[in-house]
Amino acid sequence: MLTFIGLGLFDEHDISLKGLAVIREADAVFLETYTSRLMGADMPALEALYQQPIRLLSREDVEQHPEPILDAAESGSAVFLTAGDTMVSTTHADLRIRAAERGIRTTIIHAASIASAVCGLSGLQNYRFGKSCSLPYPEARWMPTTPVEVIAANRSQNLHTIVYLDIQKERYMRISEAIAIIEEIGARLTITIPLYVGIARAGSDDPVVIAGTGDDLKRMDFGPPLHILIVPADLHMIEREYLELFAGLPPESDSIQ
């Protein structure tokens, strides 16, 4: 059996009781940290609560060399852990397909996801979100325009956009960096974005949620990672009131839509 378990948003205590029970009974425990990370917990904290040793996996381990995971699941009970909700990433779906092709039974235990948490923190209605996008750090002359194209396409349909910010080994993109990159791409494409919502440390005891223009948010200190960015469409009156109350959006900014 291979069980995919989501760990929730921030620290070791976000896991469900069902997930915790399965981990403690497993023969092998694997954790990937390339799609997202629990910033409020380190490995000793996880292993202490789970009462299990954990094997860390890189993207290459999962995508190119999944045999240790599949072998463990074929001979016993293995769990594959991810921050947030599991199965959000294509690589996780691919791993489940590979397991099924080897005749390995699989199951999923869900957890809180940033995709739903941003709705509660921002007040933006979940059914008004379009396609999400990921924003990578530029490298040399490489700066893909796809993220801004996705944002523009969503806004043309009056849909909000979640922008996932790049996570590297010891480097986490911050909201100010993300907006600067988006603005540079936008200038090339003659696309301007009037309003952003920045969120930091969703799921923690001290999340930060701020709405405003790009210049507003670039001046703000959102604190430690993880950060995520939303580009809203035109705001419904309830969405606007929520952002005014909980994200500091000035009432007089009705024009920045």
Side-chain angles (χ1 to χ4, degrees):
M1 171 72 82
L2 176 58
T3 304
F4 294 82
I5 301 177
L7 301 181
L9 294 171
F10 187 70
D11 63 26
E12 71 273 24
H13 302 293
D14 288 342
I15 190 170
S16 67
L17 293 176
K18 181 187 292 186
L20 181 59
V22 172
I23 292 172
R24 288 179 172 175
E25 295 175 359
D27 298 310
V29 180
F30 301 90
L31 168 65
E32 70 87 346
T33 58
Y34 59 86
T35 56
S36 187
R37 298 181 188 178
L38 297 181
M39 300 305 293
D42 55 18
M43 282 292 290
L46 294 175
E47 291 181 331
L49 179 63
Y50 301 162
Q51 300 173 9
Q52 288 273 27
I54 299 173
R55 176 171 172 177
L56 285 177
L57 302 173
S58 67
R59 181 183 292 273
E60 184 180 72
D61 292 330
V62 178
E63 295 181 353
Q64 300 179 30
H65 307 291
E67 291 78 16
I69 309 168
L70 299 175
D71 291 345
E74 199 166 46
S75 62
S77 171
V79 297
F80 181 82
L81 309 178
T82 62
D85 191 20
T86 190
M87 285 300 143
V88 172
S89 172
T90 305
T91 62
H92 306 158
D94 178 69
L95 180 61
R96 192 181 188 201
I97 291 170
R98 294 193 192 202
E101 290 173 345
R102 285 180 52 166
I104 299 169
R105 291 188 302 126
T106 62
T107 189
I108 300 170
I109 299 176
H110 296 282
S113 167
I114 189 62
S116 57
V118 295
C119 298
L121 289 169
S122 69
L124 299 177
Q125 297 160 357
N126 67 335
Y127 60 84
R128 295 195 61 213
F129 279 84
K131 181 180 178 180
S132 61
C133 61
S134 297
L135 185 68
Y137 280 110
E139 295 181 10
R141 297 182 180 179
W142 180 76
M143 181 183 282
T145 59
T146 302
V148 176
E149 292 167 351
V150 169
I151 292 168
N154 283 341
R155 282 181 52 78
S156 72
Q157 300 177 69
N158 205 21
L159 297 173
H160 309 313
T161 308
I162 296 177
V163 183
Y164 295 99
L165 308 188
D166 200 359
I167 296 175
Q168 299 183 357
K169 284 188 177 181
E170 296 299 330
R171 189 184 183 193
Y172 306 92
M173 185 180 291
R174 295 175 179 268
I175 288 164
S176 58
E177 295 175 301
I179 293 174
I181 293 169
I182 289 171
E183 288 178 339
E184 183 174 346
I185 298 170
R188 296 183 188 177
L189 303 178
T190 64
I191 293 170
T192 58
I193 296 171
L195 180 64
Y196 296 89
V197 180
I199 298 175
R201 296 177 304 286
S204 72
D205 293 334
D206 62 342
V208 174
V209 185
I210 302 174
T213 66
D215 287 341
D216 291 337
L217 267 63
K218 284 189 292 184
R219 289 193 295 266
M220 298 294 179
D221 180 8
F222 282 84
L226 295 174
H227 293 185
I228 193 164
L229 193 63
I230 306 171
V231 178
D234 295 343
L235 298 176
H236 181 274
M237 64 180 185
I238 298 298
E239 293 176 318
R240 173 166 292 284
E241 183 178 5
Y242 198 102
L243 288 172
E244 290 173 1
L245 286 171
F246 300 110
L249 181 65
E252 64 270 19
S253 58
D254 288 4
S255 60
I256 55 170
Q257 303 223 3

